[in-house]
Amino acid sequence: MLTTPQPTIDPIALRRAFGTFVTGVTVITTRDSDGTPRGMTANSFTSVSLDPPLLLVCVGKVAASYAAFNASDSFAVNLLHEGQTDVSAVFASKAHDKFSAVSHDRVHTGAPILNGCLTWFDCTVHNRVDAGDHVVLIGAVQAFGTSPSAPLGFCRGRYASVKDPLPPGWLASHSMIVGYLIEADGNILLRSDGKGGWVLPSAKSRKAENELKLEGGDALTLLPDETFLYSVFDVADSDPGYLIYRARLSGASAAFTVPAGFKFFPLADLPYDDIPAREIQALLRRYSRERHDDRFSIYMDSGDGGRLARIDGGSQPWTQSPQDTEQEKP
């Protein structure tokens, strides 16, 4: 009985053929058994199901992080935007500590979420499928977030641009970006955006908290009597909107060990030219003027340029306000 010989597949030619499919660029992250963050770039990502919410990524068995991904019960997928080719390069390298120069946070499972990325998905492992020289991780999405930035594309072994990524009327998120304007000894705390610019520290909850958790596990203790709403505004119609609190750090800035990616700037020396959003520039200029007079206001965005409401007097707990003790909390 004659058999037809199977054709030999050239793996290099096959890789090039696979590479003609235009994809995004992701950084997949997890933690190993001792809690050390691990991550690598990957473009073998796809959605699987909306109900239940599932996605998948493929991890090569020769990858340095393979053992961590194969053993962990959770992972995150961080989709990169067009300005994050440097982040892609870091996680594609064999660098010993890839996370030292990249700001990241914990959201649900504890897998590292890269701050400022296009979109992120925080997942528990739904299933693992052995597939040749890769393992397929099917993740159950526990939390996610997105932004209106343009995605970083990849095709034929090179980065590719994606035009007009956000159709008119498409909203990137229904949530608010919650930022904190934190002062200590006349200095303002800012966070690196990973692209040479500076932004305000952010939080996950819209409710003002006495402790602000920072990326990497550190936390700031804030003075509760000096934490107030400071500004509410949009940057663009497609932006989720900003909710900014002003706050004071409990203790001196000199005694506070600043985590990597954060820095205190004197009010008189704020890096306005390195702050990408002009709205945040304007907010910091207003704060600098109001701190000089020690008289603050609240800004509310509106179609004709916004409104400022002046705040006079100090704060007091709601239950100590005589006219309000018998009324319900608003």
Side-chain angles (χ1 to χ4, degrees), residues 1-5:
M1 182 176 179
L2 296 177
T3 58
T4 303

Side-chain angles (χ1 to χ4, degrees), residues 30-53:
T30 190
R31 292 183 186 273
D32 61 21
S33 58
D34 64 2
T36 302
R38 304 297 296 269
M40 56 181 284
T41 57
N43 62 353
S44 53
F45 159 80
T46 189
S47 60
V48 174
S49 169
L50 293 177
D51 186 15

Side-chain angles (χ1 to χ4, degrees), residues 178 180 203-211 227 243 245 329:
V178 183
Y180 274 76
K204 301 300 179 185
S205 173
R206 283 183 287 182
K207 181 180 179 181
E209 304 288 353
N210 295 340
E211 184 179 74
T227 301
L243 183 69
Y245 290 100
K329 184 178 180 181

